Amino acid sequence: MNSYRRKTPEEILSTITKLRKGRLTIFIGAVSGSGKTYHMLREGQRLKQQGMDVVICAVSTMGRPETMEQLGTLERVPSIHWQKDDVPQKDLNLEALIARNPEIVLVDGLAHRNRKGASNPTRLEDIRELLGRGISVMTTVNVYELEGVSHVAHKLTGIQGEATVPDETLESADEVRLIDVTPETMLKRIEEGNLTGVRSASMLARGNLGVLRELALRQMAEEVNESLEKHRGELGLTGPSGASERILVSAQYHWNGSIYVRRGQQIAKRLNGDLHVVSFAKSSSALNKEETMFKDSIMKLTSKIGATFTELPYPGRRRIPDSLVQYAINNGVTRIVIGHSKHGPWKEWRQGSIVNGLLNKICSTDVFFVADRADQEGERIMPAKSNRVAERSESYKRLNEQERDRRIDRISRGSFKVYIGAAPGVGKTYTMLREGNALLRKGVQIVIGLLETHGRQETVSQIGELPVVPQSVIDYRGTQLREMDVPAILGENPEVVLVDELAHTNVPGSKNKKRYEDVLELLDAGINVISTMNVQHLESLNDAVEQITGIRVRETVPDWMLGIADEVELIDVSPDRLRQRMREGRIYAPDKIEQALGRFFSKGNLIALRELALREIADDVDERLEAWDRKEYLRGPWRRRESIFVAVTLGSGAERLVRRGFRIAHRLKAVWHVVYIHANSRLTEEEQKRVDEICAFTARLGGRFEYAATESKCDIPRILLDMASAYETTQMIVGQPSKRWMPFLQRGSVVKTLLSRGRHMDVLVVAKLPCLRSPVYDGVYKVNV
């Protein structure tokens, strides 16, 4: 750790300079009307209440009632009005602001271009001048107004901002906060007449709103990733953070090198990860004509797809695994893509096995072995284009009885909205209550079904006049505990019910084991539900969260709950702001603050969880874009039919493999199977219980579990390969084999046997996580086990 490292003179000078400058906060959104100005003004009001000197200038409320309400008593410094093509414009009155010299200025439109003759041509330069004079600034920007995003936004949606700001503007800001809003909410605002001032019709198209939203989420994820890498570097940490994907392809100057790069590109694009390509070359000898041709081909392809290419010195066959592992550690690689070995056991023993070397040395990094397609001449590596005409003809297909019933159930079911955050205290419950009050004012019959304020006064103040359904009292081991009273809510039959903490586990004796099951019951009754949860409670992210935080989250929600939600909206707060809220006692009780700040709420954890949340919601947006049958989703289409096969043991890592199988199958729209093969003896009572647990867990995530038995452990690889072939498997998922030599000498490695005999399919070897002392997260705080 470098926390005691002496600062360089440059670092000291930089810190002193920052002390003299004002603080820049940027609120970023997908489009105008997403709520950036509202949240900026609300933050200004909060700071004014704390005694700060806050003024506003060149702020445009667009006549939106909720935004105008937030103006309150904030002092306004008059802006300079002018017109451009008959459209009113506002410039900052720099002289008046400098003379007034407030602590904080709130201003809209970071990308604004000033009138001719102004002292600065852009608002960004105005803001920099204010910052240089020690005046802090809060401002707003749309994602398509960022220079590096504008051309992508224009290509995908036809929308282009009148002006842009350089991408490094976000990097120079002290705080960047995303204001996320779903297309459904935006369309509702339009319908209610609360979105005046938006002149572009294409900006209000549902699909375009989704694309711009995804661009904003992914842009923020990249910004957060950079801050995470910087933070981890300061702490001397190496290896993958667990928050994002980074793919490494090892491709030699051979005819199949480009195939591996293309496969790596598919994986990186689908996982929205960075792609690195490495090749090994002998410095002692020049490349022959054929190798030179293949090298040029790989370098051109790498450049075309936006990956990085590195040529590493050839260390000798036995040392290649060491070089790959070291590169993976230095660059935070999460997955290595490499070809299957084509050598027999005797040749591998003589010359060294790259496959075995990797599996023995790798830690926290998966290894993906690309199928050997040499025997399948003519097969396309990239997915073939689908026949969209044939797809559309399905709309004329007559529905059968089961399909009609499913459609009717969907129509009669209540709508479901989820507010999701990276951690407790970001404001999910506060926002849910604020929306509830807005609905109440519109005459909607709404009740609070379950609310957890945790004593936070800001949250309590938002309850307002919302009616609360009393909780039911359940006796558990002599203690009176309270839970949401589902029958009472059903009896009242409201239009909307607010339900906090979706991942909560109910008290034993309740009708349903989990709160999300209560929510499903309400939805089936036609009642609309608005709920909250944190990203760490998603079942398939359980392992990633443990890798990031060292904490095993106990309460989880299956991922399909987000899938059935009509809207999923992210509540974003920067780690520094969240930690400040913690210090102010606005999240946990005083006796838990220091412990929380040093552990779950450490800055590194919060940055990584924030990135995880941004990427997860961006993927959710992309899935919905695909469901709308648009061509412009960012990760691109996945047309190849995939079948995922997960082989597990009864060990503690089984659930991790099942989660990985689910996430891959979900991204590839694939069928997936989980298989356990038992050898030698009948299942003991304990083993049967474990099989049942894995089976239930697989079913919970939507997979199919298979169990088979054999007399000999040596038959396990053959049986697994036969079953995989029967399921037409395109990708097999297995766990990293044990590094102990004795079991391997006695019976060989199942995984290594699968790799040698299963070269016709892709095989993903999931690395074991480093051994962590893993406390349990109980939803409010964690306790050591």
Side-chain angles (χ1 to χ4, degrees), residues 406-675:
R406 282 197 294 270
R407 295 277 182 95
I408 292 169
D409 289 343
R410 181 65 189 86
I411 292 168
S412 60
R413 186 175 71 88
S415 67
F416 183 33
K417 181 173 184 176
V418 179
Y419 285 107
I420 192 168
V426 298
K428 303 177 299 296
T429 305
Y430 179 98
T431 307
M432 178 182 72
L433 290 172
R434 185 164 62 84
E435 181 175 359
N437 276 295
L439 292 171
L440 187 66
R441 288 193 294 269
K442 294 171 184 175
V444 176
Q445 186 189 359
I446 183 169
V447 300
I448 295 175
L450 194 288
L451 182 63
E452 298 284 0
T453 66
H454 300 296
R456 297 165 192 164
Q457 291 306 308
E458 283 185 338
T459 305
V460 172
S461 67
Q462 283 299 307
I463 296 174
E465 298 180 2
L466 288 169
V468 180
V469 177
Q471 295 174 302
S472 61
V473 179
I474 300 173
D475 182 79
Y476 179 65
R477 296 181 179 177
T479 303
Q480 302 294 304
L481 300 174
R482 296 181 179 275
E483 289 292 358
M484 183 166 68
D485 195 335
V486 176
I489 296 171
L490 293 172
E492 288 198 22
N493 193 30
E495 292 179 87
V496 183
V497 61
L498 308 182
V499 181
D500 217 356
E501 297 192 358
L502 188 63
H504 172 77
T505 301
N506 291 334
V507 175
S510 304
K511 179 183 176 182
N512 296 314
K513 183 179 178 182
K514 301 285 292 187
R515 186 166 291 163
Y516 73 80
E517 294 172 322
D518 293 338
V519 166
L520 290 173
E521 193 171 337
L522 296 172
L523 292 171
D524 288 341
I527 298 172
N528 303 315
V529 178
I530 302 175
S531 191
T532 66
M533 65 175 290
N534 291 319
V535 71
Q536 66 262 29
H537 293 298
L538 271 179
E539 177 61 61
S540 69
L541 292 178
N542 209 252
D543 302 308
V545 171
E546 183 177 18
Q547 182 180 345
I548 290 168
T549 66
I551 295 164
R552 173 62 65 177
V553 176
R554 181 177 62 190
E555 295 186 317
T556 59
V557 173
D559 292 55
W560 52 260
M561 278 299 290
L562 281 195
I564 68 169
D566 300 277
E567 295 182 66
V568 180
E569 196 165 297
L570 177 70
I571 306 300
D572 182 47
V573 173
S574 70
D576 287 336
R577 177 58 53 86
L578 195 56
R579 283 169 59 84
Q580 184 59 35
R581 286 183 185 178
M582 176 68 76
R583 293 188 189 95
E584 293 169 357
R586 295 162 61 192
I587 299 178
Y588 289 159
D591 60 329
K592 293 182 178 179
I593 291 175
E594 289 306 317
Q595 188 183 20
L597 286 172
R599 299 173 71 182
F600 188 83
F601 278 76
S602 70
K603 186 172 181 179
N605 282 356
L606 293 178
I607 297 173
L609 288 171
R610 186 187 187 196
E611 182 181 353
L612 203 64
L614 287 160
R615 294 189 186 279
E616 190 65 25
I617 303 306
D619 284 345
D620 179 77
V621 173
D622 203 87
E623 297 292 336
R624 293 172 193 269
L625 284 171
E626 291 189 32
W628 296 339
D629 198 29
R630 285 186 57 88
K631 298 177 184 178
E632 295 88 355
Y633 28 87
L634 270 64
R635 292 182 300 162
W638 189 269
R639 301 300 184 190
R640 172 179 166 184
R641 184 185 178 278
E642 293 275 353
S643 176
I644 309 303
F645 184 94
V646 185
V648 299
T649 67
L650 299 184
S652 59
E655 283 84 357
R656 184 163 184 258
L657 291 177
V658 174
R659 290 189 193 98
R660 187 61 61 88
F662 161 76
R663 287 188 69 79
I664 291 172
H666 178 66
R667 282 181 165 92
L668 303 185
K669 311 292 189 299
V671 295
W672 62 294
H673 303 265
V674 177
V675 175

